[in-house]
Amino acid sequence: SRVAVLGLSFKPGTDDVRNSRAIPIIEGLQARGAEVVGYDPVATENMHEHFPEITYAATPTEALTDAAAALVVTDWDEITALEEEFDAMATPVVVDGRRAIDRRDGIVYEGLTW
């Protein structure tokens, strides 16, 4: 299944992926056979060094299109502002690791904090 990982840096405002929660998440998804699509406004190049084999999207909507699930890892403003973009998902299941997305009708939402 296609899974979108939104936010690859360890915090918003940086391209630094050291200690990013996205790293073990991507590893776990790959171990389970998921097709991982990553998105980050500035950290894509640095994460590509760790995971050259995954797909990187240019926009959050591109990452979400036809995804079975999405994981919010870094609370960038453009990620926290997402709403109708989740409608592009095949199955709108969102696991929000920052509790940054507003729960709404039409998506299965699980908020947690790592």
Side-chain angles (χ1 to χ4, degrees), residues 8 15 17 40 42-51 56:
L8 304 173
D15 65 354
V17 297
D40 191 281
V42 298
T44 299
E45 187 175 318
N46 288 341
M47 190 59 82
H48 186 268
E49 293 176 20
H50 292 275
F51 299 104
Y56 293 92

Side-chain angles (χ1 to χ4, degrees), residues 3-40:
V3 178
V5 177
L6 304 176
L8 304 173
S9 61
F10 86 97
K11 69 177 185 175
T14 184
D15 65 354
D16 191 348
V17 297
R18 292 175 295 162
N19 300 315
S20 170
R21 296 302 307 151
I23 293 172
I25 288 169
I26 293 169
E27 290 170 343
L29 290 168
Q30 288 180 316
R32 290 164 178 81
E35 173 195 345
V36 179
V37 180
Y39 170 75
D40 191 281

Side-chain angles (χ1 to χ4, degrees), residues 8 78 112:
L8 304 173
E78 63 190 280
L112 54 101

Side-chain angles (χ1 to χ4, degrees), residues 10 21 72-75 96-101 109 112-114:
F10 86 97
R21 296 302 307 151
V72 176
V73 181
T74 310
D75 53 347
D96 185 354
R98 297 294 181 202
R99 291 193 181 256
I101 303 297
Y109 175 89
L112 54 101
T113 304
W114 358 82

Side-chain angles (χ1 to χ4, degrees), residues 39-87:
Y39 170 75
D40 191 281
V42 298
T44 299
E45 187 175 318
N46 288 341
M47 190 59 82
H48 186 268
E49 293 176 20
H50 292 275
F51 299 104
E53 69 283 358
I54 72 169
T55 302
Y56 293 92
T59 66
T61 302
E62 182 184 331
L64 292 169
T65 300
D66 297 327
L71 290 99
V72 176
V73 181
T74 310
D75 53 347
W76 287 93
D77 288 343
E78 63 190 280
I79 293 172
T80 62
L82 296 174
E83 288 188 21
E84 67 276 347
E85 292 85 353
F86 292 111
D87 296 336

